[in-house]
Structures are given as structure tokens and as C-alpha cells.
């Protein structure tokens, strides 16, 4: 055989094998593409059906409302035509009236016991019909009878009228009805006209799902069947409703919502469930009713989700495949008989776009989202390239969105949302990183714990927006002051921590001074100057701790020491502070339960009129009898109560207890006495202070002029306008206001003129230094003279010697208190003192 023939035969065999293999592969590849394309088309068709059904439901609802309006007109006509007393209405009269009004039936309903019953009706099945198990229908009936209107969410609501939704008849489940209920109080019954079956089904046939499906089936011969499945009941035992002894399946519980279901398969139940649970289209090829079909199950989201099942004739796909296979075979024969080159061109024409698509898909798989395929074809490959492009763009958008969200999550996980400073988590990470380098260098780390003094007062007085603005400004100043390797963090509320790697004690002191100076500068917010000062506690690594928790805790302890030292300063941690901190924790814990356990007591120190020598008043002073610690000095626990906010409930207890005690003494025949009660800064800030004081006076019955509230000069300096308004409101109750510890604060004639003050109390530090030739004597003389000119009463505190008493009497001081007269006494001891005074006075009278 000639070589040319061999080559020709060999080439022909090779080309034949290639073309046969190509035709075979192309057949199956095209089949998959056609099924996917058909699946996507069914998905689009199902969504169009869902939208059409939703739109039809709006139209159906409109028509249903029109019917409801018609039923109301019929009900009003019936009201005018019927006797208002149900006893005078006959069933025959209702039947005749129903026919005249063009409706199916009229039922008259009346309340019988705890039920509402159909008493008269043109439909015999409605007579003696019970409604108390009808859920919201029964609620609507009760509301109609009570209010002549109803507010249930379902149905049509009009004046004196409610129309329930279309549903299966409770008395005759073979029918579907639309009901109306009318009651305006002129009859002793509810008028219930309703329309049955034919009129209702007529508009459902025009606007309902079945009419939509019929149009689609008529226009698309490849679609064999469309079914609406209820995923909750399909394949489950029937859910029956029962009324008047009859069982029926309610519309919402039917497993087939609309359409026909003739192409049944055992796997349909599981496929419906899978599609509903996944929310994705599910397609299967099956043999049903002697025909090969493609069944697609598409979930539709709505108020009541359902599954649309579309059955298409697989023969359409098979016909396309057969036709394509025939065409490919003819082309292959032509290629074999004619030009070898044409076979290569044809193969290249088919393979090149596929390879291009695969290449781009590989790019996408490797993470090059957004890559596009530039194939402009109208066949399946063109459609596939468009879908791949869509997928690529969606993945690109999703990854960008995911990246943005990850960045936001990372920011929220590591930074304070308000200030933008690192949070405690990131602060700990930075500390661990810093710790390694510090250990290698042998240097130290300073941890500063900052707390803003008076921040809560600013927050309460000017509002949280001002507080947030202040916190952001403090954070900005801390960030501006921090070097690149230094970390500032907000750990909560008005507390900040700073990490200063490589700092010595001297460098830390300089840094603390800079922070004090910078943060003490006022912040301007909406025309108002906001001023805070920081209290700073400092701990050093490794001297004060080897881990961040210990360093922060010890710096926190040192910060409390800074507050005790007057605030607006810094303190380094020392070991002895820990014991004091633990003592503070014990006191704070105990103080929270002291009120509940009645551990507080009030002692009363007499206030003496220096002209008559009589007791004219008492100052109520709190004492704490701790069950384990014994007597705890107010000097120790009152500042802690101020700081924790417990002073507010304690102050309320003091006020009510003191007022009640004065009333008890009056009941025992003691002379009238004034009681003085101290007000703290936190109590002044309470919005309900004036109301509470008024309530206590009313509850105890104490004359307001016998109550004196004492404030310190420092309280008066917080916010002048606010304090003046609060004190004026208290004064309007009829009580008196005193300035305690006068001369130790910001003594000023200016605020003495502005504030509604009745009394000045000279601090005992001045009284203790009274001598024959002392500069403090001049201060006391000046205070008394100034008070007299301002028409203020003066009380001297801490009088302990006869020399002090004589001096004050000579200066015409009004009143005094102190150990010279009596120490603060318990209730029992104070009553004993009064009895001794009364006995002594009686002895003088007898002599």
C-alpha cells in the first residue's frame, strides 16, 4: 500500500477518531449547559410567577376590600330593613332579604353567655353556630359589641364594621366564603352578610395564581406543569380544622397552594424540603407519567414562603442535543472529505473560547477576582462567559466588602470606638512586645493610670455629649503627647493608661508633669468651658510588677492615693498603698450593706445660744458601727462614700432619720430645736433633691424652719448658677442654708451676696487658735462683723475652753458648739443630758 494512502488512511482514522470523540464530548457538555440554562430560565420564570402572584394578591386584596365594602352596604341595608330586636326577625325574612341584596346569606349573631352564637340565619347550618374558638374572629366580635369598632390586624376595618379574610366556611367546609360583620348599637345583634363560592372564586379565577399559571402554560409548551408547594405541610400528615363537627383543611394548611400536581415522584417531598431549607433552586431529571422530565424546585420568599415546582419536557433538551449531534456528524463528514485545515480551524474555533473561559476561571480561582472574559457570542459559550463575568464581579465586590468589614472588625477589636485610642486588648499586646525588648536592654517601663477628676459632675451637669467631646479631646492630647513607641489606651469611662517604655523614674515625673499641665487646660464646647484635672497613679516595671495586670492594678492603687492627696497630682506606687487599698475595698464593700444592716447611727451635738445658754439646735453627725471593725470614723468613710456615689442614699437616710428624731423629741415635750444636716456635692447634683427634701418634711411633719442644710464653700464653687438655683428652690421650702467650715475654702463676699445663705459656721481651726494676741482673733472678729453686716447668723464650731467661750461672747457671736458644751451624743445620751438640764433648772427654781 502506498505511503500516501497509508498516511491518508491514518490521517482519516485519526481525524475520524478526533471528530467522533469531539462529537461525543460535545454532546454531554452541551447537555449539561442546556440543563443549567434551563434551570436558570426556570428560576427566572419562578421569580416572575412569584412577582405576578404577589401583584395579583394586591389586586385580589383590592377586590376583596370592594366585596367587604359591598357587604357593609348590604349590612346597613339589612339594619334598615330588619327589626332591631332579633326575636322579631325570621329566617325566611333573612333568606328573602339576602336574595334582594344579591348576597349569599345573612346571619344574625348575638352574645350568649361567654359565646357569640349565630341565632338567626338564611343558612340553616349557621343557626346555633358557636364562635368562641375562632381566635381573632371572636376578638373582633367582642370588640364590635363593646366599642362598635375593632382593631384586630387582619381583615377590613370600617366604622361599625369588620370583614374577615376569605376562608373556608366553618359550617360548610365545601364552600369558600367572604364575611362581613356590622354592629352600630341600634340592634341587639351583629349583622353578618356573606358571599359564597361563585362570586369569590370568579375574581380568584381572574386575578388568582391559577389564571397566571394558565397563561404561562399556554404560552410555553415545554412547561408541562407548575405547582405551588407548601413546604410546611407538603408530605406531612394533613392539618385538619374542625367546626360544628366537620373536619376540613384550611386554605393556609393545604400542601398544594396552587397549580396541578400530576407528575408525582417519591423524592418530591425531600426535594421540596431541601430547596426550602437551603433557599436555592434544586433540579432533577426523572421519569414521571411515562415521560422523561426536568423537575425544578424554586424557593420563593414572602410573608408565607412557598416552593414553586416547574416540570419541563426533557424531550425539548433531547431534541436540541439530537439536532446538534446530527449537525456535528455532518460537519465531521464534510471535514473528513474536504479540507484538513478546515478541521483544524473548526476545532480551534470551538476550543479557543473554551480555553479562554477556563483560563479566566483559573485566574478567578487563584484570587484574581474581577477578571473578565471578552467573548461576544450569542450561543451557550457566550452565555457561559457572561455568567462567569458576573460571578467574577460578584466575588470581587464581595471580597472588597469583606475586606472593609474585616478592617472595621479589626479596628473595633483593637481600638476604643469613641476616642480611637488602643483598647486594653491592644494595649496588652503592645506591652508584651515592649516587654521582650526591655528585658534585653535591661531598662524599665512606666505605666500611668489616669482618672479625670470631676468628670461625672460635668457629664451629669452638661450632658453626655459634652462628656464624650471632653473624652475625645483628652484622648487627642494624650496621643499628641505620646512618642511613637508610647501607647495610650482608654480602658473604660474616664480612665486611661499610658505605656512608657524605657522611662526612668525621673523621666516619668517629667512626663506626668506635662500631662497634668496639658490636661488641666480648659476645653471649649459649644461656648462653654469644660475643665477637668487628672489624678495619675504610676507603677514601674520590674519594681512594681512583672505583668501588665499587676502594673495596672498597682498604678490604679497609686491613682487613688493621688486623689486622696487633693487630686490634680501624681503618685508613684508604694507597697504600703496596697494595704490601704485593701482597707478601702473592705470599707466600700461593707458600706454598701451598712444601710441594709442598720449599722449607721446618728449622734447629735448641741448648738448653744451664747446669750441665753440654751440649746437651740443640734447638728446630726453620722457614725458607723462596723460588726467587725467597730467604730469607723466619718473622716475615713465619708470621702469614700462621696467617691463611690453611696453618699446619696446615706445622705437621704441621715435627712429622714434626723427629721424624724426631732419630731420624736417634740412628742416627748423637749423644747423646739433646729437640726443641721450636711449636704454633699453629689447630693447637690441630684435632680430630685428638692422634691425629696420636701417629701421628707411632709412625711415626718417637721416644720421647715427647724431644718438647716449645711454646704461647704467648695460646693458653691462648682457651678455658680446651678448651685444658686438649687439653693433658692430649697429655700422656697422654708428651711435654712448654712455655709460650713467658713474661712477654709474660697471665702468671698461675692458669693455671700449671691447665695441665699442664713448662717456662717466658723471652722474650728480658727477657734482652736484663739489667744490673747493672735492674728486668727482678727479673722474671727472680721467674720462676725461681716456676717452681722450681711444679716447672717454666726455659729462657732469646736469650742473647747472657757477662754474661747468668753472671747466669742465678747464678739457677740450668736451660737457655738463643741466639746466645752458636749461631744456628739447618741439619742439616749442626748435625752439624758436634757433631763439633767431640766433637773438643774428645777432645783434653781426651788431654791
Amino acid at each position: 500500500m502506498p505511503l500516501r494512502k497509508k498516511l491518508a488512511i491514518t490521517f482519516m482514522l485519526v481525524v475520524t477518531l478526533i471528530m467522533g470523540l469531539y462529537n461525543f464530548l460535545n454532546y454531554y457538555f452541551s447537555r449539561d449547559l442546556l440543563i443549567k440554562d434551563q434551570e436558570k430560565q426556570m428560576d427566572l420564570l419562578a421569580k416572575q410567577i412569584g412577582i405576578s402572584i404577589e401583584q395579583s394578591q394586591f389586586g385580589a386584596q383590592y377586590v376583596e376590600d370592594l366585596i367587604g365594602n359591598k357587604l357593609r352596604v348590604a349590612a346597613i341595608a339589612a339594619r334598615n330593613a330588619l327589626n332591631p330586636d332579633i326575636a322579631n326577625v325570621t329566617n325566611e325574612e333573612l333568606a328573602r332579604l339576602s336574595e334582594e341584596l344579591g348576597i349569599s346569606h345573612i346571619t344574625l349573631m348575638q352574645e350568649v353567655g361567654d359565646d357569640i352564637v349565630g341565632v338567626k340565619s338564611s343558612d340553616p347550618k349557621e343557626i346555633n353556630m358557636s364562635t368562641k374558638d375562632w381566635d381573632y374572629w371572636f376578638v373582633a366580635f367582642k370588640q364590635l359589641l363593646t366599642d362598635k369598632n375593632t382593631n384586630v390586624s387582619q381583615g377590613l376595618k370600617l366604622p361599625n364594621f369588620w370583614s374577615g379574610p376569605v376562608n373556608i366556611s366553618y359550617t360548610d367546609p365545601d364552600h369558600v366564603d367572604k364575611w362581613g360583620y356590622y354592629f352600630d348599637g341600634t340592634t341587639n345583634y351583629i349583622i353578618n352578610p356573606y358571599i359564597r363560592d361563585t362570586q369569590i372564586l370568579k375574581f380568584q379565577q381572574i386575578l388568582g395564581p391559577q389564571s397566571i399559571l394558565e397563561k404561562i402554560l399556554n404560552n410555553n409548551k415545554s412547561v408541562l406543569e407548575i405547582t405551588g408547594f407548601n413546604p410546611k405541610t407538603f408530605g406531612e400528615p394533613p392539618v385538619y380544622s374542625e367546626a360544628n363537627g366537620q373536619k376540613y383543611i384550611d386554605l393556609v394548611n393545604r400542601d398544594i397552594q396552587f397549580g396541578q400536581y400530576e407528575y408525582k415522584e417519591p423524592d418530591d417531598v425531600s426535594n421540596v424540603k431541601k430547596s426550602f431549607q437551603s433557599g436555592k433552586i434544586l433540579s432533577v431529571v426523572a421519569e414521571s407519567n411515562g415521560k422523561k422530565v426536568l423537575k425544578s424546585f424554586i424557593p420563593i420568599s414572602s410573608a408565607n414562603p412557598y416552593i414553586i415546582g416547574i416540570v419541563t419536557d426533557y424531550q425539548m433538551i433531547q431534541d436540541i442535543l439530537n439536532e446538534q449531534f446530527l449537525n456535528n456528524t455532518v460537519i465531521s463528514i464534510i471535514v473528513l472529505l474536504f479540507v484538513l485545515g478546515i478541521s483544524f480551524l473548526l476545532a480551534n474555533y470551538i476550543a479557543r473560547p473554551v480555553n479562554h473561559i477556563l483560563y479566566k476561571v483559573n485566574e478567578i480561582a487563584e484570587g484574581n477576582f474581577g477578571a473578565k472574559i471578552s467573548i461576544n457570542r450569542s450561543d451557550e459559550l457566550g452565555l457561559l462567559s457572561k455568567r462567569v463575568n458576573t460571578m467574577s464581579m460578584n466575588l470581587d465586590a464581595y471580597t472588597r466588602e469583606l475586606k472593609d468589614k474585616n478592617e472595621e472588625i479589626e479596628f473595633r477589636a483593637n481600638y476604643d470606638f469613641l476616642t480611637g485610642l488602643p483598647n486594653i486588648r491592644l494595649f496588652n499586646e503592645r506591652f508584651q512586645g515592649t516587654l521582650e525588648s526591655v528585658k534585653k536592654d535591661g531598662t524599665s517601663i512606666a505605666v500611668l493610670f489616669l482618672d479625670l477628676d470631676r468628670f461625672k459632675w460635668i457629664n451629669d451637669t452638661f450632658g453626655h455629649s459634652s462628656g464624650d467631646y471632653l473624652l475625645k479631646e483628652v484622648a487627642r492630647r494624650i496621643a499628641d503627647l505620646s512618642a511613637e513607641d508610647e501607647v495610650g489606651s482608654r480602658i473604660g469611662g474616664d480612665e486611661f493608661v499610658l505605656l512608657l517604655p524605657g522611662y526612668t523614674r525621673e523621666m516619668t515625673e517629667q512626663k506626668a508633669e506635662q500631662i497634668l499641665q496639658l490636661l488641666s487646660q480648659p476645653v471649649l464646647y459649644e461656648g462653654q468651658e469644660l475643665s477637668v484635672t487628672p489624678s495619675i497613679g504610676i507603677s514601674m516595671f520590674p519594681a512594681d510588677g512583672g505583668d501588665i495586670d499587676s502594673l495596672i492594678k498597682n498604678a490604679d492603687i497609686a491613682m487613688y492615693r493621688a486623689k486622696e492627696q487633693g487630686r490634680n497630682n501624681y503618685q508613684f506606687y508604694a507597697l504600703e498603698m496596697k494595704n490601704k487599698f485593701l482597707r478601702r475595698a473592705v470599707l466600700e464593700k461593707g458600706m454598701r450593706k451598712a444601710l441594709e444592716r442598720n449599722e449607721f447611727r446618728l449622734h447629735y451635738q448641741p448648738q448653744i445660744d451664747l446669750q441665753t445658754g440654751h440649746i437651740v439646735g443640734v447638728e446630726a453627725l453620722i457614725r458607723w458601727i462596723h460588726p467587725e471593725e467597730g467604730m469607723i470614723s466619718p473622716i475615713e468613710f465619708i470621702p469614700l462614700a462621696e467617691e463611690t456615689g453611696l453618699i446619696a442614699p446615706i445622705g437621704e437616710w441621715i435627712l429622714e432619720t434626723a427629721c424624724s428624731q426631732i419630731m420624736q423629741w417634740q412628742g416627748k415635750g423637749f423644747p423646739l430645736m433646729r437640726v443641721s444636716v450636711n449636704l454633699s456635692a453629689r447630693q447637690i447634683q441630684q435632680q430630685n433633691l428638692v422634691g425629696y427634701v420636701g417629701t421628707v418634711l411632709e412625711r415626718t411633719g417637721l416644720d421647715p424652719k427647724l431644718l438647716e442644710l449645711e454646704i461647704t464653700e467648695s460646693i458653691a464653687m462648682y457651678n455658680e448658677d446651678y448651685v444658686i438655683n438649687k439653693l433658692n428652690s430649697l429655700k422656697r421650702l422654708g428651711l435654712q442654708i448654712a455655709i460650713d467650715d467658713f474661712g477654709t475654702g474660697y471665702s468671698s463676699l461675692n458669693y455671700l451676696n449671691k447665695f441665699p445663705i442664713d448662717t456662717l459656721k466658723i471652722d474650728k481651726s480658727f477657734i482652736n487658735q484663739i489667744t490673747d494676741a493672735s492674728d486668727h482673733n482678727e479673722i474671727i472678729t472680721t467674720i462676725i462683723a461681716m456676717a452681722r453686716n450681711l444679716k447672717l447668723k454666726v455659729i462657732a464650731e469646736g469650742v473647747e475652753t472657757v477662754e474661747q467661750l468668753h472671747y466669742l461672747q465678747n464678739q457677740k457671736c450668736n451660737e457655738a458648739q463643741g466639746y466645752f458644751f458636749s461631744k456628739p451624743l447618741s439619742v439616749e445620751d442626748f435625752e439624758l443630758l436634757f433631763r439633767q438640764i431640766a433637773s438643774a433648772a428645777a432645783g434653781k427654781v426651788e431654791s
Side-chain angles (χ1 to χ4, degrees), residues 551-565:
L551 290 169
I552 290 179
K553 183 177 74 173
N554 292 336
D556 188 15
I557 293 173
M559 183 273 294
Y560 279 107
R561 176 63 176 167
K563 284 189 176 292
E564 291 173 357
Q565 295 299 312

Side-chain angles (χ1 to χ4, degrees), residues 489-782:
S489 171
R490 177 180 177 230
I491 61 174
D494 59 339
E495 296 176 338
F496 299 82
V497 289
L498 271 71
L499 180 68
L500 307 177
Y503 269 63
T504 63
R505 188 182 181 93
E506 292 75 17
M507 295 167 63
T508 305
E509 289 178 347
Q510 294 175 7
K511 191 76 166 185
E513 291 287 355
Q514 291 177 347
I515 294 172
L516 288 173
Q517 181 180 2
L518 183 62
L519 296 190
S520 299
Q521 297 175 8
V523 175
L524 188 64
Y525 175 71
E526 294 185 352
Q528 180 74 41
E529 281 195 354
L530 308 177
S531 296
V532 292
T533 56
S535 294
I536 305 174
I538 305 172
S539 61
M540 303 294 295
F541 171 84
D544 300 328
D547 59 80
I548 190 59
D549 292 335
S550 300
L551 290 169
I552 290 179
K553 183 177 74 173
N554 292 336
D556 188 15
I557 293 173
M559 183 273 294
Y560 279 107
R561 176 63 176 167
K563 284 189 176 292
E564 291 173 357
Q565 295 299 312
R567 308 185 181 189
N568 194 23
N569 69 93
Y570 62 88
Q571 295 290 326
F572 282 88
Y573 172 76
L575 186 59
E576 59 269 16
M577 292 181 183
K578 187 171 185 178
N579 294 331
K580 191 166 184 179
F581 182 80
L582 294 175
R583 168 72 172 173
R584 168 193 168 90
V586 169
L587 291 182
E588 182 178 342
K589 182 179 179 181
M591 190 162 44
R592 294 184 182 277
K593 299 182 179 180
L595 274 175
E596 301 173 10
R597 297 175 177 175
N598 296 319
E599 295 174 6
F600 289 122
R601 299 287 184 274
L602 281 188
H603 284 197
Y604 300 89
Q605 187 171 36
Q607 296 173 332
I608 309 299
D609 187 317
L610 294 183
Q611 302 304 315
T612 65
H614 294 156
I615 297 176
V616 293
V618 292
E619 181 176 4
L621 300 168
I622 191 169
R623 298 291 184 264
W624 183 9
I625 313 298
H626 194 281
E628 298 172 358
E629 304 288 335
M631 180 73 77
I632 299 177
S633 171
I635 297 175
E636 186 174 8
F637 73 83
I638 288 296
L640 182 58
E642 284 271 11
E643 188 175 325
T644 59
L646 293 172
I647 195 65
I650 292 174
E652 292 176 356
W653 176 84
I654 293 173
L655 179 65
E656 183 148 6
T657 303
C659 292
S660 298
Q661 187 59 57
I662 293 297
M663 292 303 296
Q664 290 178 28
W665 281 335
Q666 289 183 19
K668 292 181 179 181
F670 288 11
L672 293 178
M673 290 182 294
R674 178 187 67 250
V675 62
S676 296
V677 177
N678 290 283
L679 278 185
S680 69
R682 282 187 180 268
Q683 287 178 280
I684 286 289
Q685 296 168 23
Q686 286 181 281
Q687 296 294 327
N688 65 337
L689 174 63
V690 178
Y692 180 75
V693 172
T695 301
V696 169
L697 290 172
E698 183 179 351
R699 189 159 53 225
T700 60
L702 181 67
D703 188 342
K705 67 183 180 182
L706 296 180
L707 175 61
E708 183 176 69
L709 299 180
E710 298 183 10
I711 64 172
T712 62
E713 293 176 278
S714 57
I715 291 176
M717 295 300 102
Y718 275 139
N719 184 326
E720 186 175 288
D721 293 337
Y722 176 81
V723 174
I724 289 174
N725 290 333
K726 186 61 68 75
L727 295 182
N728 280 325
S729 298
L730 289 169
K731 284 287 290 180
R732 283 192 285 272
L733 296 176
L735 48 79
Q736 301 182 56
I737 305 294
I739 293 288
D740 196 16
D741 302 332
F742 185 77
T744 60
Y746 305 93
S747 304
S748 167
L749 285 175
N750 182 43
Y751 83 75
L752 287 179
N753 279 324
K754 291 182 178 181
F755 284 68
I757 299 167
D758 301 288
T759 304
L760 295 182
K761 298 190 73 173
I762 303 175
D763 188 68
K764 64 182 179 179
S765 62
F766 295 106
I767 306 301
N768 289 341
Q769 300 182 49
I770 290 178
T771 62
D772 293 336
S774 171
D775 293 338
H776 291 88
N777 295 356
E778 296 297 328
I779 295 175
I780 295 171
T781 302
T782 302

Side-chain angles (χ1 to χ4, degrees), residues 46-260:
K47 287 181 172 56
Q48 290 174 359
I49 293 171
I51 292 171
S52 299
I53 290 175
E54 184 176 352
Q55 291 174 345
S56 75
Q57 288 173 347
F58 284 116
Q61 185 61 50
Y62 175 74
V63 174
E64 190 174 335
D65 288 345
L66 289 178
I67 295 175
N69 277 281
K70 177 182 177 181
L71 290 174
R72 183 173 184 271
V73 172
I76 294 173
R79 179 202 61 185
N80 295 327
L82 297 174
N83 191 291
D85 186 355
I86 198 169
N88 297 323
V89 181
T90 65
N91 296 328
E92 293 74 12
E93 185 180 1
L94 294 176
R96 185 174 61 257
L97 185 59
S98 299
E99 185 176 354
E100 291 174 357
L101 294 176
I103 57 177
S104 300
H105 291 287
I106 298 177
T107 298
L108 304 185
M109 302 167 62
Q110 195 174 46
E111 192 169 14
V112 179
D114 63 344
D115 198 356
I116 296 175
V117 177
V119 178
K120 298 290 181 68
S121 179
S122 60
D123 182 357
K125 294 182 179 180
E126 295 276 314
I127 298 174
N128 297 323
M129 172 188 63
S130 171
T131 66
K132 64 181 179 181
D133 296 328
W134 287 16
D135 195 22
Y136 68 86
W137 295 73
F138 186 73
V139 174
F141 301 157
K142 295 287 284 185
Q143 290 177 349
L144 270 177
L145 289 173
T146 304
D147 302 326
K148 301 183 181 63
N149 284 293
T150 181
N151 58 7
V152 296
S153 59
Q154 298 86 347
L156 173 67
K157 293 174 281 296
L158 294 171
N160 309 121
F161 180 79
W162 178 71
S163 175
V166 171
N167 207 339
I168 291 177
S169 173
Y170 284 88
T171 56
D172 192 349
D174 293 332
H175 295 284
V176 175
D177 292 350
K178 171 69 176 178
W179 300 269
Y181 302 91
Y182 183 87
F183 181 77
D184 62 359
T186 61
T187 62
N188 61 0
Y189 50 83
I190 296 174
I191 301 172
N192 168 212
Y194 56 96
I195 293 176
R196 173 157 289 173
D197 287 335
T198 54
Q199 297 182 48
I200 296 171
L201 295 176
K202 183 177 180 180
F203 79 81
Q204 287 186 339
Q205 291 170 359
I206 297 173
L207 298 174
Q210 195 61 39
S211 64
I212 298 170
L213 301 185
E214 289 176 0
K215 293 177 183 178
I216 294 174
L217 292 171
N218 291 334
N219 294 331
N220 194 333
K221 299 303 181 182
S222 64
V223 178
L224 302 176
E225 181 180 78
I226 299 176
T227 310
F229 295 99
N230 185 341
K232 297 179 181 177
T233 58
F234 183 62
E236 302 292 335
V239 179
Y240 289 104
S241 298
E242 185 172 353
N244 296 321
Q246 297 189 61
K247 288 185 177 181
Y248 62 94
I249 301 176
D250 210 344
L251 292 179
V252 295
N253 293 323
R254 292 184 175 178
D255 54 354
I256 303 300
Q257 296 289 301
F258 54 83
Q260 299 295 321

Side-chain angles (χ1 to χ4, degrees), residues 324-337:
Q324 185 175 355
F325 179 77
L326 179 60
N327 291 337
N328 288 340
T329 302
V330 172
I331 292 173
S332 299
I333 293 173
I334 294 173
V335 168
L336 288 172
L337 295 175

Side-chain angles (χ1 to χ4, degrees), residues 410-417 419-430 487-492 497:
E410 184 177 357
F411 179 82
R412 289 178 179 268
N414 293 293
Y415 292 89
D416 177 55
F417 185 72
T419 63
L421 290 177
N423 60 17
I424 192 64
R425 177 177 175 276
L426 183 58
F427 183 86
N428 290 344
E429 291 181 2
R430 298 278 179 87
V487 183
S489 171
R490 177 180 177 230
I491 61 174
V497 289

Side-chain angles (χ1 to χ4, degrees), residues 38-50 213 216-217 220 222-229 258 260-261 263 268 272 281-285 293-300 307-314:
Q38 185 74 358
E39 183 180 274
K40 290 170 185 176
Q41 291 184 26
M42 293 306 101
D43 188 24
L44 291 174
L45 178 61
K47 287 181 172 56
Q48 290 174 359
I49 293 171
L213 301 185
I216 294 174
L217 292 171
N220 194 333
S222 64
V223 178
L224 302 176
E225 181 180 78
I226 299 176
T227 310
F229 295 99
F258 54 83
Q260 299 295 321
Y261 182 48
Y263 291 85
D268 287 349
V272 167
I281 184 173
L282 177 66
S283 296
V284 294
V285 177
V293 295
L294 176 65
K295 305 187 78 172
S296 298
F297 301 91
I298 304 100
I300 302 298
I307 303 295
I308 293 180
I310 302 178
V311 179
T312 54
D313 192 348
Y314 189 82

